[in-house]
Amino acid sequence: MSTQVRSCPKCFQLMWLKQNEFESLDIETVRAKCPHCGSTVRFRLVSEGANAAGPKMGH
């Protein structure tokens, strides 16, 4: 996996997370710490559909 770009659900800032900055919980879910507010957040990866190969934005 490459860099993940997500918005933090707590502070709404964009998080640019490299491979070593998040941990896989299962094949669809990863956990990371927001570099802005320090909250631990979980998000699902897009693995099917038109956005599966593109940037993973948390909209």
mmCIF file of all heavy atoms in Angstrom:
data_model
loop_
_atom_site.group_PDB
_atom_site.id
_atom_site.type_symbol
_atom_site.label_atom_id
_atom_site.label_comp_id
_atom_site.label_asym_id
_atom_site.label_seq_id
_atom_site.Cartn_x
_atom_site.Cartn_y
_atom_site.Cartn_z
ATOM 1 N N MET A 1 0.830 -1.178 0.000
ATOM 2 C CA MET A 1 0.000 0.000 0.000
ATOM 3 C C MET A 1 0.875 1.242 0.000
ATOM 4 O O MET A 1 1.907 1.275 0.629
ATOM 5 C CB MET A 1 -0.865 0.011 1.253
ATOM 6 C CG MET A 1 -2.307 -0.082 0.965
ATOM 7 S SD MET A 1 -3.331 0.186 2.411
ATOM 8 C CE MET A 1 -2.856 -1.133 3.487
ATOM 9 N N SER A 2 0.450 2.268 -0.684
ATOM 10 C CA SER A 2 1.190 3.527 -0.715
ATOM 11 C C SER A 2 0.630 4.483 0.328
ATOM 12 O O SER A 2 -0.041 4.085 1.261
ATOM 13 C CB SER A 2 1.097 4.118 -2.115
ATOM 14 O OG SER A 2 -0.253 4.353 -2.443
ATOM 15 N N THR A 3 0.897 5.760 0.147
ATOM 16 C CA THR A 3 0.425 6.778 1.085
ATOM 17 C C THR A 3 -1.101 6.840 1.096
ATOM 18 O O THR A 3 -1.735 6.834 0.053
ATOM 19 C CB THR A 3 0.991 8.151 0.693
ATOM 20 O OG1 THR A 3 2.406 8.071 0.687
ATOM 21 C CG2 THR A 3 0.558 9.229 1.656
ATOM 22 N N GLN A 4 -1.673 6.888 2.280
ATOM 23 C CA GLN A 4 -3.117 7.032 2.449
ATOM 24 C C GLN A 4 -3.422 8.480 2.810
ATOM 25 O O GLN A 4 -2.776 9.043 3.687
ATOM 26 C CB GLN A 4 -3.615 6.133 3.581
ATOM 27 C CG GLN A 4 -3.505 4.663 3.294
ATOM 28 C CD GLN A 4 -4.539 4.228 2.277
ATOM 29 O OE1 GLN A 4 -5.711 4.551 2.377
ATOM 30 N NE2 GLN A 4 -4.085 3.497 1.294
ATOM 31 N N VAL A 5 -4.392 9.076 2.138
ATOM 32 C CA VAL A 5 -4.819 10.439 2.433
ATOM 33 C C VAL A 5 -6.236 10.353 2.976
ATOM 34 O O VAL A 5 -7.140 9.895 2.293
ATOM 35 C CB VAL A 5 -4.783 11.337 1.178
ATOM 36 C CG1 VAL A 5 -5.220 12.745 1.526
ATOM 37 C CG2 VAL A 5 -3.409 11.332 0.557
ATOM 38 N N ARG A 6 -6.396 10.777 4.220
ATOM 39 C CA ARG A 6 -7.691 10.719 4.891
ATOM 40 C C ARG A 6 -7.929 11.996 5.660
ATOM 41 O O ARG A 6 -6.988 12.655 6.082
ATOM 42 C CB ARG A 6 -7.732 9.559 5.897
ATOM 43 C CG ARG A 6 -7.640 8.204 5.310
ATOM 44 C CD ARG A 6 -8.913 7.917 4.569
ATOM 45 N NE ARG A 6 -8.847 6.624 3.934
ATOM 46 C CZ ARG A 6 -9.870 5.836 3.770
ATOM 47 N NH1 ARG A 6 -11.052 6.187 4.208
ATOM 48 N NH2 ARG A 6 -9.736 4.700 3.153
ATOM 49 N N SER A 7 -9.186 12.321 5.880
ATOM 50 C CA SER A 7 -9.493 13.433 6.776
ATOM 51 C C SER A 7 -9.830 12.835 8.137
ATOM 52 O O SER A 7 -10.515 11.826 8.241
ATOM 53 C CB SER A 7 -10.651 14.270 6.241
ATOM 54 O OG SER A 7 -11.808 13.500 6.111
ATOM 55 N N CYS A 8 -9.326 13.450 9.171
ATOM 56 C CA CYS A 8 -9.548 12.979 10.536
ATOM 57 C C CYS A 8 -11.006 13.253 10.922
ATOM 58 O O CYS A 8 -11.485 14.376 10.752
ATOM 59 C CB CYS A 8 -8.595 13.692 11.491
ATOM 60 S SG CYS A 8 -8.869 13.288 13.226
ATOM 61 N N PRO A 9 -11.726 12.261 11.439
ATOM 62 C CA PRO A 9 -13.117 12.489 11.838
ATOM 63 C C PRO A 9 -13.252 13.359 13.090
ATOM 64 O O PRO A 9 -14.325 13.860 13.375
ATOM 65 C CB PRO A 9 -13.656 11.083 12.081
ATOM 66 C CG PRO A 9 -12.458 10.250 12.330
ATOM 67 C CD PRO A 9 -11.329 10.876 11.589
ATOM 68 N N LYS A 10 -12.172 13.569 13.811
ATOM 69 C CA LYS A 10 -12.207 14.380 15.039
ATOM 70 C C LYS A 10 -11.909 15.853 14.754
ATOM 71 O O LYS A 10 -12.647 16.732 15.155
ATOM 72 C CB LYS A 10 -11.197 13.866 16.059
ATOM 73 C CG LYS A 10 -11.285 12.401 16.330
ATOM 74 C CD LYS A 10 -12.371 12.080 17.308
ATOM 75 C CE LYS A 10 -12.327 10.577 17.521
ATOM 76 N NZ LYS A 10 -13.137 10.061 18.487
ATOM 77 N N CYS A 11 -10.780 16.136 14.032
ATOM 78 C CA CYS A 11 -10.378 17.532 13.801
ATOM 79 C C CYS A 11 -10.568 17.974 12.342
ATOM 80 O O CYS A 11 -10.363 19.135 12.023
ATOM 81 C CB CYS A 11 -8.925 17.745 14.227
ATOM 82 S SG CYS A 11 -7.702 16.924 13.173
ATOM 83 N N PHE A 12 -10.928 17.043 11.455
ATOM 84 C CA PHE A 12 -11.225 17.305 10.042
ATOM 85 C C PHE A 12 -10.029 17.777 9.222
ATOM 86 O O PHE A 12 -10.193 18.262 8.116
ATOM 87 C CB PHE A 12 -12.398 18.295 9.908
ATOM 88 C CG PHE A 12 -13.625 17.823 10.629
ATOM 89 C CD1 PHE A 12 -14.006 18.411 11.822
ATOM 90 C CD2 PHE A 12 -14.375 16.776 10.132
ATOM 91 C CE1 PHE A 12 -15.126 17.963 12.502
ATOM 92 C CE2 PHE A 12 -15.510 16.329 10.804
ATOM 93 C CZ PHE A 12 -15.880 16.919 11.992
ATOM 94 N N GLN A 13 -8.817 17.638 9.746
ATOM 95 C CA GLN A 13 -7.608 17.957 8.991
ATOM 96 C C GLN A 13 -7.222 16.741 8.143
ATOM 97 O O GLN A 13 -7.494 15.605 8.514
ATOM 98 C CB GLN A 13 -6.450 18.288 9.944
ATOM 99 C CG GLN A 13 -6.689 19.494 10.814
ATOM 100 C CD GLN A 13 -6.604 20.782 10.012
ATOM 101 O OE1 GLN A 13 -5.778 20.925 9.124
ATOM 102 N NE2 GLN A 13 -7.475 21.711 10.325
ATOM 103 N N LEU A 14 -6.545 16.993 7.007
ATOM 104 C CA LEU A 14 -6.084 15.885 6.178
ATOM 105 C C LEU A 14 -4.874 15.217 6.819
ATOM 106 O O LEU A 14 -3.968 15.881 7.308
ATOM 107 C CB LEU A 14 -5.705 16.367 4.780
ATOM 108 C CG LEU A 14 -6.844 16.659 3.831
ATOM 109 C CD1 LEU A 14 -6.294 17.134 2.494
ATOM 110 C CD2 LEU A 14 -7.715 15.452 3.623
ATOM 111 N N MET A 15 -4.872 13.894 6.811
ATOM 112 C CA MET A 15 -3.756 13.107 7.314
ATOM 113 C C MET A 15 -3.101 12.426 6.117
ATOM 114 O O MET A 15 -3.772 11.710 5.371
ATOM 115 C CB MET A 15 -4.235 12.017 8.280
ATOM 116 C CG MET A 15 -5.023 12.509 9.447
ATOM 117 S SD MET A 15 -5.498 11.162 10.562
ATOM 118 C CE MET A 15 -6.574 10.181 9.532
ATOM 119 N N TRP A 16 -1.822 12.662 5.892
ATOM 120 C CA TRP A 16 -1.061 11.993 4.843
ATOM 121 C C TRP A 16 -0.246 10.922 5.542
ATOM 122 O O TRP A 16 0.767 11.210 6.169
ATOM 123 C CB TRP A 16 -0.158 12.985 4.119
ATOM 124 C CG TRP A 16 -0.932 13.979 3.321
ATOM 125 C CD1 TRP A 16 -1.567 15.094 3.789
ATOM 126 C CD2 TRP A 16 -1.174 13.949 1.918
ATOM 127 N NE1 TRP A 16 -2.190 15.757 2.771
ATOM 128 C CE2 TRP A 16 -1.952 15.084 1.604
ATOM 129 C CE3 TRP A 16 -0.802 13.084 0.905
ATOM 130 C CZ2 TRP A 16 -2.368 15.356 0.308
ATOM 131 C CZ3 TRP A 16 -1.204 13.374 -0.382
ATOM 132 C CH2 TRP A 16 -1.985 14.492 -0.666
ATOM 133 N N LEU A 17 -0.690 9.678 5.473
ATOM 134 C CA LEU A 17 -0.100 8.591 6.236
ATOM 135 C C LEU A 17 0.720 7.676 5.331
ATOM 136 O O LEU A 17 0.210 7.147 4.346
ATOM 137 C CB LEU A 17 -1.200 7.783 6.919
ATOM 138 C CG LEU A 17 -2.110 8.576 7.847
ATOM 139 C CD1 LEU A 17 -3.293 7.729 8.262
ATOM 140 C CD2 LEU A 17 -1.341 9.059 9.056
ATOM 141 N N LYS A 18 1.982 7.483 5.687
ATOM 142 C CA LYS A 18 2.851 6.561 4.957
ATOM 143 C C LYS A 18 2.621 5.147 5.468
ATOM 144 O O LYS A 18 1.971 4.937 6.486
ATOM 145 C CB LYS A 18 4.306 6.969 5.148
ATOM 146 C CG LYS A 18 4.611 8.321 4.584
ATOM 147 C CD LYS A 18 6.045 8.685 4.845
ATOM 148 C CE LYS A 18 6.271 10.128 4.458
ATOM 149 N NZ LYS A 18 7.266 10.773 5.265
ATOM 150 N N GLN A 19 3.183 4.181 4.783
ATOM 151 C CA GLN A 19 3.008 2.763 5.108
ATOM 152 C C GLN A 19 3.325 2.455 6.571
ATOM 153 O O GLN A 19 2.628 1.693 7.213
ATOM 154 C CB GLN A 19 3.913 1.926 4.201
ATOM 155 C CG GLN A 19 3.835 0.435 4.446
ATOM 156 C CD GLN A 19 2.630 -0.198 3.804
ATOM 157 O OE1 GLN A 19 2.149 0.272 2.793
ATOM 158 N NE2 GLN A 19 2.148 -1.271 4.379
ATOM 159 N N ASN A 20 4.361 3.066 7.119
ATOM 160 C CA ASN A 20 4.769 2.759 8.495
ATOM 161 C C ASN A 20 4.013 3.573 9.542
ATOM 162 O O ASN A 20 4.260 3.424 10.726
ATOM 163 C CB ASN A 20 6.278 2.976 8.665
ATOM 164 C CG ASN A 20 6.686 4.411 8.427
ATOM 165 O OD1 ASN A 20 5.922 5.214 7.899
ATOM 166 N ND2 ASN A 20 7.900 4.743 8.807
ATOM 167 N N GLU A 21 3.058 4.422 9.148
ATOM 168 C CA GLU A 21 2.318 5.268 10.078
ATOM 169 C C GLU A 21 0.916 4.754 10.395
ATOM 170 O O GLU A 21 0.179 5.395 11.122
ATOM 171 C CB GLU A 21 2.230 6.694 9.537
ATOM 172 C CG GLU A 21 3.581 7.370 9.437
ATOM 173 C CD GLU A 21 3.492 8.752 8.819
ATOM 174 O OE1 GLU A 21 2.625 8.991 7.966
ATOM 175 O OE2 GLU A 21 4.323 9.584 9.198
ATOM 176 N N PHE A 22 0.547 3.612 9.829
ATOM 177 C CA PHE A 22 -0.742 3.018 10.163
ATOM 178 C C PHE A 22 -0.593 1.516 10.305
ATOM 179 O O PHE A 22 0.357 0.923 9.815
ATOM 180 C CB PHE A 22 -1.839 3.386 9.159
ATOM 181 C CG PHE A 22 -1.550 3.029 7.732
ATOM 182 C CD1 PHE A 22 -1.866 1.784 7.234
ATOM 183 C CD2 PHE A 22 -0.980 3.956 6.882
ATOM 184 C CE1 PHE A 22 -1.615 1.458 5.920
ATOM 185 C CE2 PHE A 22 -0.723 3.649 5.562
ATOM 186 C CZ PHE A 22 -1.035 2.395 5.075
ATOM 187 N N GLU A 23 -1.547 0.909 10.994
ATOM 188 C CA GLU A 23 -1.496 -0.522 11.280
ATOM 189 C C GLU A 23 -2.755 -1.182 10.729
ATOM 190 O O GLU A 23 -3.857 -0.662 10.883
ATOM 191 C CB GLU A 23 -1.354 -0.693 12.795
ATOM 192 C CG GLU A 23 -2.180 -1.731 13.424
ATOM 193 C CD GLU A 23 -2.078 -1.744 14.948
ATOM 194 O OE1 GLU A 23 -1.948 -0.693 15.582
ATOM 195 O OE2 GLU A 23 -2.168 -2.856 15.470
ATOM 196 N N SER A 24 -2.585 -2.310 10.065
ATOM 197 C CA SER A 24 -3.722 -3.050 9.516
ATOM 198 C C SER A 24 -4.384 -3.864 10.604
ATOM 199 O O SER A 24 -3.727 -4.645 11.285
ATOM 200 C CB SER A 24 -3.261 -3.973 8.396
ATOM 201 O OG SER A 24 -2.780 -3.238 7.313
ATOM 202 N N LEU A 25 -5.694 -3.685 10.768
ATOM 203 C CA LEU A 25 -6.463 -4.471 11.735
ATOM 204 C C LEU A 25 -7.000 -5.735 11.082
ATOM 205 O O LEU A 25 -7.051 -6.782 11.697
ATOM 206 C CB LEU A 25 -7.600 -3.643 12.313
ATOM 207 C CG LEU A 25 -7.176 -2.387 13.077
ATOM 208 C CD1 LEU A 25 -8.389 -1.629 13.549
ATOM 209 C CD2 LEU A 25 -6.269 -2.735 14.236
ATOM 210 N N ASP A 26 -7.452 -5.618 9.842
ATOM 211 C CA ASP A 26 -7.853 -6.754 9.018
ATOM 212 C C ASP A 26 -7.653 -6.332 7.564
ATOM 213 O O ASP A 26 -7.040 -5.301 7.308
ATOM 214 C CB ASP A 26 -9.281 -7.217 9.325
ATOM 215 C CG ASP A 26 -10.329 -6.135 9.156
ATOM 216 O OD1 ASP A 26 -10.206 -5.318 8.222
ATOM 217 O OD2 ASP A 26 -11.289 -6.103 9.938
ATOM 218 N N ILE A 27 -8.173 -7.092 6.621
ATOM 219 C CA ILE A 27 -7.904 -6.771 5.214
ATOM 220 C C ILE A 27 -8.619 -5.511 4.733
ATOM 221 O O ILE A 27 -8.231 -4.937 3.728
ATOM 222 C CB ILE A 27 -8.243 -7.954 4.285
ATOM 223 C CG1 ILE A 27 -9.701 -8.378 4.454
ATOM 224 C CG2 ILE A 27 -7.315 -9.110 4.523
ATOM 225 C CD1 ILE A 27 -10.150 -9.438 3.477
ATOM 226 N N GLU A 28 -9.634 -5.053 5.452
ATOM 227 C CA GLU A 28 -10.387 -3.862 5.043
ATOM 228 C C GLU A 28 -10.195 -2.657 5.955
ATOM 229 O O GLU A 28 -10.577 -1.560 5.585
ATOM 230 C CB GLU A 28 -11.882 -4.175 4.988
ATOM 231 C CG GLU A 28 -12.279 -5.137 3.909
ATOM 232 C CD GLU A 28 -13.780 -5.335 3.864
ATOM 233 O OE1 GLU A 28 -14.466 -4.955 4.832
ATOM 234 O OE2 GLU A 28 -14.259 -5.857 2.857
ATOM 235 N N THR A 29 -9.648 -2.830 7.148
ATOM 236 C CA THR A 29 -9.617 -1.772 8.142
ATOM 237 C C THR A 29 -8.193 -1.491 8.607
ATOM 238 O O THR A 29 -7.430 -2.413 8.849
ATOM 239 C CB THR A 29 -10.470 -2.155 9.371
ATOM 240 O OG1 THR A 29 -11.749 -2.597 8.924
ATOM 241 C CG2 THR A 29 -10.647 -0.980 10.311
ATOM 242 N N VAL A 30 -7.858 -0.206 8.713
ATOM 243 C CA VAL A 30 -6.564 0.200 9.254
ATOM 244 C C VAL A 30 -6.777 1.194 10.386
ATOM 245 O O VAL A 30 -7.811 1.847 10.470
ATOM 246 C CB VAL A 30 -5.625 0.800 8.172
ATOM 247 C CG1 VAL A 30 -5.254 -0.220 7.132
ATOM 248 C CG2 VAL A 30 -6.222 2.018 7.543
ATOM 249 N N ARG A 31 -5.782 1.288 11.258
ATOM 250 C CA ARG A 31 -5.840 2.208 12.393
ATOM 251 C C ARG A 31 -4.612 3.105 12.320
ATOM 252 O O ARG A 31 -3.517 2.664 12.001
ATOM 253 C CB ARG A 31 -5.846 1.423 13.695
ATOM 254 C CG ARG A 31 -5.828 2.308 14.920
ATOM 255 C CD ARG A 31 -6.007 1.551 16.197
ATOM 256 N NE ARG A 31 -5.083 0.436 16.301
ATOM 257 C CZ ARG A 31 -5.234 -0.570 17.149
ATOM 258 N NH1 ARG A 31 -6.259 -0.611 17.960
ATOM 259 N NH2 ARG A 31 -4.357 -1.543 17.182
ATOM 260 N N ALA A 32 -4.811 4.398 12.632
ATOM 261 C CA ALA A 32 -3.717 5.363 12.595
ATOM 262 C C ALA A 32 -3.926 6.422 13.660
ATOM 263 O O ALA A 32 -5.026 6.572 14.198
ATOM 264 C CB ALA A 32 -3.641 6.023 11.224
ATOM 265 N N LYS A 33 -2.874 7.153 13.944
ATOM 266 C CA LYS A 33 -2.939 8.262 14.889
ATOM 267 C C LYS A 33 -2.861 9.558 14.089
ATOM 268 O O LYS A 33 -1.966 9.736 13.267
ATOM 269 C CB LYS A 33 -1.781 8.174 15.875
ATOM 270 C CG LYS A 33 -1.881 9.144 17.006
ATOM 271 C CD LYS A 33 -0.828 8.843 18.044
ATOM 272 C CE LYS A 33 -1.115 9.650 19.286
ATOM 273 N NZ LYS A 33 -0.212 9.310 20.368
ATOM 274 N N CYS A 34 -3.792 10.463 14.321
ATOM 275 C CA CYS A 34 -3.817 11.738 13.607
ATOM 276 C C CYS A 34 -2.605 12.573 14.034
ATOM 277 O O CYS A 34 -2.396 12.791 15.230
ATOM 278 C CB CYS A 34 -5.107 12.491 13.909
ATOM 279 S SG CYS A 34 -5.176 14.129 13.152
ATOM 280 N N PRO A 35 -1.827 13.057 13.076
ATOM 281 C CA PRO A 35 -0.667 13.875 13.429
ATOM 282 C C PRO A 35 -1.038 15.266 13.946
ATOM 283 O O PRO A 35 -0.210 15.943 14.552
ATOM 284 C CB PRO A 35 0.116 13.970 12.118
ATOM 285 C CG PRO A 35 -0.878 13.718 11.053
ATOM 286 C CD PRO A 35 -1.917 12.818 11.646
ATOM 287 N N HIS A 36 -2.289 15.691 13.759
ATOM 288 C CA HIS A 36 -2.719 17.019 14.177
ATOM 289 C C HIS A 36 -3.275 17.033 15.606
ATOM 290 O O HIS A 36 -2.822 17.790 16.449
ATOM 291 C CB HIS A 36 -3.764 17.578 13.214
ATOM 292 C CG HIS A 36 -3.303 17.582 11.797
ATOM 293 N ND1 HIS A 36 -2.347 18.444 11.313
ATOM 294 C CD2 HIS A 36 -3.647 16.784 10.756
ATOM 295 C CE1 HIS A 36 -2.131 18.193 10.042
ATOM 296 N NE2 HIS A 36 -2.909 17.187 9.680
ATOM 297 N N CYS A 37 -4.267 16.170 15.857
ATOM 298 C CA CYS A 37 -4.923 16.184 17.174
ATOM 299 C C CYS A 37 -4.507 15.021 18.065
ATOM 300 O O CYS A 37 -4.820 15.007 19.243
ATOM 301 C CB CYS A 37 -6.438 16.216 17.017
ATOM 302 S SG CYS A 37 -7.152 14.707 16.319
ATOM 303 N N GLY A 38 -3.828 14.017 17.504
ATOM 304 C CA GLY A 38 -3.356 12.890 18.294
ATOM 305 C C GLY A 38 -4.389 11.801 18.531
ATOM 306 O O GLY A 38 -4.108 10.832 19.224
ATOM 307 N N SER A 39 -5.574 11.921 17.946
ATOM 308 C CA SER A 39 -6.620 10.910 18.127
ATOM 309 C C SER A 39 -6.280 9.652 17.344
ATOM 310 O O SER A 39 -5.723 9.709 16.255
ATOM 311 C CB SER A 39 -7.963 11.436 17.620
ATOM 312 O OG SER A 39 -8.370 12.541 18.373
ATOM 313 N N THR A 40 -6.653 8.517 17.895
ATOM 314 C CA THR A 40 -6.520 7.252 17.182
ATOM 315 C C THR A 40 -7.801 7.032 16.403
ATOM 316 O O THR A 40 -8.891 7.048 16.970
ATOM 317 C CB THR A 40 -6.283 6.096 18.157
ATOM 318 O OG1 THR A 40 -5.091 6.373 18.897
ATOM 319 C CG2 THR A 40 -6.113 4.785 17.424
ATOM 320 N N VAL A 41 -7.677 6.848 15.091
ATOM 321 C CA VAL A 41 -8.849 6.705 14.223
ATOM 322 C C VAL A 41 -8.728 5.423 13.407
ATOM 323 O O VAL A 41 -7.636 4.951 13.132
ATOM 324 C CB VAL A 41 -9.025 7.922 13.290
ATOM 325 C CG1 VAL A 41 -9.315 9.175 14.081
ATOM 326 C CG2 VAL A 41 -7.810 8.137 12.416
ATOM 327 N N ARG A 42 -9.878 4.855 13.035
ATOM 328 C CA ARG A 42 -9.929 3.688 12.173
ATOM 329 C C ARG A 42 -10.687 4.059 10.907
ATOM 330 O O ARG A 42 -11.618 4.843 10.938
ATOM 331 C CB ARG A 42 -10.646 2.534 12.862
ATOM 332 C CG ARG A 42 -9.878 1.952 14.001
ATOM 333 C CD ARG A 42 -10.490 0.683 14.483
ATOM 334 N NE ARG A 42 -11.826 0.923 15.027
ATOM 335 C CZ ARG A 42 -12.641 -0.035 15.422
ATOM 336 N NH1 ARG A 42 -12.293 -1.288 15.323
ATOM 337 N NH2 ARG A 42 -13.816 0.263 15.912
ATOM 338 N N PHE A 43 -10.264 3.472 9.775
ATOM 339 C CA PHE A 43 -11.000 3.682 8.543
ATOM 340 C C PHE A 43 -10.885 2.462 7.661
ATOM 341 O O PHE A 43 -9.965 1.669 7.782
ATOM 342 C CB PHE A 43 -10.567 4.956 7.807
ATOM 343 C CG PHE A 43 -9.087 5.081 7.574
ATOM 344 C CD1 PHE A 43 -8.497 4.581 6.436
ATOM 345 C CD2 PHE A 43 -8.286 5.735 8.497
ATOM 346 C CE1 PHE A 43 -7.146 4.705 6.224
ATOM 347 C CE2 PHE A 43 -6.934 5.874 8.293
ATOM 348 C CZ PHE A 43 -6.365 5.356 7.147
ATOM 349 N N ARG A 44 -11.875 2.314 6.781
ATOM 350 C CA ARG A 44 -11.930 1.177 5.867
ATOM 351 C C ARG A 44 -11.270 1.549 4.554
ATOM 352 O O ARG A 44 -11.386 2.668 4.081
ATOM 353 C CB ARG A 44 -13.368 0.772 5.626
ATOM 354 C CG ARG A 44 -14.055 0.360 6.920
ATOM 355 C CD ARG A 44 -15.398 -0.169 6.661
ATOM 356 N NE ARG A 44 -15.201 -1.605 6.443
ATOM 357 C CZ ARG A 44 -16.134 -2.428 6.031
ATOM 358 N NH1 ARG A 44 -17.312 -1.975 5.743
ATOM 359 N NH2 ARG A 44 -15.886 -3.694 5.881
ATOM 360 N N LEU A 45 -10.602 0.581 3.949
ATOM 361 C CA LEU A 45 -9.964 0.775 2.659
ATOM 362 C C LEU A 45 -10.959 0.488 1.545
ATOM 363 O O LEU A 45 -11.791 -0.406 1.671
ATOM 364 C CB LEU A 45 -8.765 -0.162 2.513
ATOM 365 C CG LEU A 45 -7.650 0.040 3.523
ATOM 366 C CD1 LEU A 45 -6.609 -1.053 3.354
ATOM 367 C CD2 LEU A 45 -7.021 1.405 3.351
ATOM 368 N N VAL A 46 -10.850 1.232 0.467
ATOM 369 C CA VAL A 46 -11.681 0.993 -0.709
ATOM 370 C C VAL A 46 -10.974 -0.065 -1.537
ATOM 371 O O VAL A 46 -9.867 0.145 -2.004
ATOM 372 C CB VAL A 46 -11.869 2.289 -1.528
ATOM 373 C CG1 VAL A 46 -12.674 2.009 -2.774
ATOM 374 C CG2 VAL A 46 -12.527 3.358 -0.688
ATOM 375 N N SER A 47 -11.586 -1.228 -1.684
ATOM 376 C CA SER A 47 -10.938 -2.325 -2.405
ATOM 377 C C SER A 47 -11.698 -2.749 -3.658
ATOM 378 O O SER A 47 -11.192 -3.531 -4.445
ATOM 379 C CB SER A 47 -10.759 -3.537 -1.486
ATOM 380 O OG SER A 47 -11.992 -3.954 -0.982
ATOM 381 N N GLU A 48 -12.903 -2.214 -3.858
ATOM 382 C CA GLU A 48 -13.697 -2.553 -5.031
ATOM 383 C C GLU A 48 -14.313 -1.293 -5.602
ATOM 384 O O GLU A 48 -14.499 -0.320 -4.897
ATOM 385 C CB GLU A 48 -14.809 -3.525 -4.667
ATOM 386 C CG GLU A 48 -14.311 -4.872 -4.191
ATOM 387 C CD GLU A 48 -15.460 -5.802 -3.842
ATOM 388 O OE1 GLU A 48 -16.620 -5.466 -4.108
ATOM 389 O OE2 GLU A 48 -15.177 -6.878 -3.303
ATOM 390 N N GLY A 49 -14.628 -1.326 -6.871
ATOM 391 C CA GLY A 49 -15.312 -0.212 -7.511
ATOM 392 C C GLY A 49 -14.378 0.744 -8.208
ATOM 393 O O GLY A 49 -13.168 0.524 -8.311
ATOM 394 N N ALA A 50 -14.934 1.863 -8.673
ATOM 395 C CA ALA A 50 -14.188 2.819 -9.487
ATOM 396 C C ALA A 50 -13.068 3.515 -8.706
ATOM 397 O O ALA A 50 -12.065 3.901 -9.289
ATOM 398 C CB ALA A 50 -15.146 3.871 -10.046
ATOM 399 N N ASN A 51 -13.212 3.670 -7.400
ATOM 400 C CA ASN A 51 -12.203 4.385 -6.611
ATOM 401 C C ASN A 51 -11.151 3.471 -5.992
ATOM 402 O O ASN A 51 -10.295 3.929 -5.252
ATOM 403 C CB ASN A 51 -12.882 5.176 -5.487
ATOM 404 C CG ASN A 51 -13.696 6.312 -6.038
ATOM 405 O OD1 ASN A 51 -13.351 6.886 -7.060
ATOM 406 N ND2 ASN A 51 -14.789 6.627 -5.380
ATOM 407 N N ALA A 52 -11.166 2.197 -6.295
ATOM 408 C CA ALA A 52 -10.240 1.253 -5.651
ATOM 409 C C ALA A 52 -8.791 1.528 -6.008
ATOM 410 O O ALA A 52 -7.911 1.351 -5.174
ATOM 411 C CB ALA A 52 -10.606 -0.171 -6.040
ATOM 412 N N ALA A 53 -8.499 1.984 -7.194
ATOM 413 C CA ALA A 53 -7.108 2.229 -7.594
ATOM 414 C C ALA A 53 -6.685 3.676 -7.364
ATOM 415 O O ALA A 53 -5.520 3.990 -7.479
ATOM 416 C CB ALA A 53 -6.917 1.867 -9.058
ATOM 417 N N GLY A 54 -7.611 4.547 -7.047
ATOM 418 C CA GLY A 54 -7.308 5.964 -6.890
ATOM 419 C C GLY A 54 -6.986 6.352 -5.462
ATOM 420 O O GLY A 54 -6.841 5.493 -4.595
ATOM 421 N N PRO A 55 -6.866 7.648 -5.203
ATOM 422 C CA PRO A 55 -6.604 8.115 -3.844
ATOM 423 C C PRO A 55 -7.732 7.721 -2.899
ATOM 424 O O PRO A 55 -8.898 7.719 -3.286
ATOM 425 C CB PRO A 55 -6.544 9.640 -3.991
ATOM 426 C CG PRO A 55 -6.389 9.897 -5.433
ATOM 427 C CD PRO A 55 -6.951 8.719 -6.153
ATOM 428 N N LYS A 56 -7.393 7.373 -1.689
ATOM 429 C CA LYS A 56 -8.364 6.919 -0.706
ATOM 430 C C LYS A 56 -8.774 8.085 0.189
ATOM 431 O O LYS A 56 -8.239 8.291 1.261
ATOM 432 C CB LYS A 56 -7.794 5.790 0.149
ATOM 433 C CG LYS A 56 -7.143 4.671 -0.611
ATOM 434 C CD LYS A 56 -8.087 3.988 -1.565
ATOM 435 C CE LYS A 56 -7.518 2.711 -2.106
ATOM 436 N NZ LYS A 56 -6.958 2.761 -3.393
ATOM 437 N N MET A 57 -9.710 8.884 -0.278
ATOM 438 C CA MET A 57 -10.168 10.049 0.492
ATOM 439 C C MET A 57 -11.300 9.630 1.408
ATOM 440 O O MET A 57 -12.141 8.828 1.038
ATOM 441 C CB MET A 57 -10.654 11.148 -0.453
ATOM 442 C CG MET A 57 -9.579 11.695 -1.363
ATOM 443 S SD MET A 57 -8.206 12.440 -0.498
ATOM 444 C CE MET A 57 -8.985 13.894 0.116
ATOM 445 N N GLY A 58 -11.335 10.171 2.581
ATOM 446 C CA GLY A 58 -12.350 9.806 3.575
ATOM 447 C C GLY A 58 -13.598 10.660 3.501
ATOM 448 O O GLY A 58 -13.931 11.321 4.474
ATOM 449 N N HIS A 59 -14.298 10.658 2.378
ATOM 450 C CA HIS A 59 -15.516 11.456 2.227
ATOM 451 C C HIS A 59 -16.701 10.666 2.663
ATOM 452 O O HIS A 59 -16.886 9.562 2.412
ATOM 453 C CB HIS A 59 -15.704 11.896 0.797
ATOM 454 C CG HIS A 59 -14.643 12.811 0.322
ATOM 455 N ND1 HIS A 59 -14.519 14.090 0.775
ATOM 456 C CD2 HIS A 59 -13.622 12.630 -0.523
ATOM 457 C CE1 HIS A 59 -13.497 14.663 0.197
ATOM 458 N NE2 HIS A 59 -12.926 13.798 -0.583
#
